[in-house]
Amino acid sequence: NLWNAVFRAGAGPAMVQCINTLTGEAIYTVNMPDSTSQVTCCCFGGPNLNIMFITTASENADLDKEPNAGCIYAVKLGIKGCLEKRFTGRK
């Protein structure tokens, strides 16, 4: 599966979707808890890899409407992420 940050640039609240790479179907959605529309990236962290960290931007954002634009969100999910595979160089 692929986790995709959906950047909406002021066109409504953003979200993160989990896409089934075989079908292209969105199988899980993490909605932003407010009007933040510029979600930029997401990753799993925490000791159990069950916290999703979501970064946002504030490029040309109306901060009266999106006061948390540019913040980082942490969402505890019932889903566990995977450890990152580190590049170890060429063999």
Side-chain angles (χ1 to χ4, degrees), residues 6-87:
V6 180
F7 188 101
R8 296 186 42 102
M15 67 194 85
V16 174
Q17 291 186 319
C18 181
I19 308 297
N20 179 314
T21 55
L22 298 176
T23 66
E25 175 187 4
I27 56 175
Y28 195 89
T29 300
V30 178
N31 292 302
M32 299 306 291
D34 55 21
S35 59
T36 300
S37 68
Q38 298 181 20
V39 169
T40 55
C41 196
C42 62
C43 68
F44 283 95
N48 297 316
L49 294 173
N50 65 340
I51 300 171
M52 178 175 281
F53 293 95
I54 303 170
T55 59
T56 67
S58 60
E59 184 77 21
N60 299 317
D62 181 344
L63 296 180
D64 289 330
K65 293 180 181 175
E66 299 184 44
N68 296 317
C71 292
I72 299 173
Y73 293 78
V75 182
K76 192 167 190 177
L77 298 175
I79 298 169
K80 186 176 178 181
C82 322
L83 285 176
E84 180 180 285
K85 296 197 180 358
R86 297 282 183 177
F87 178 72

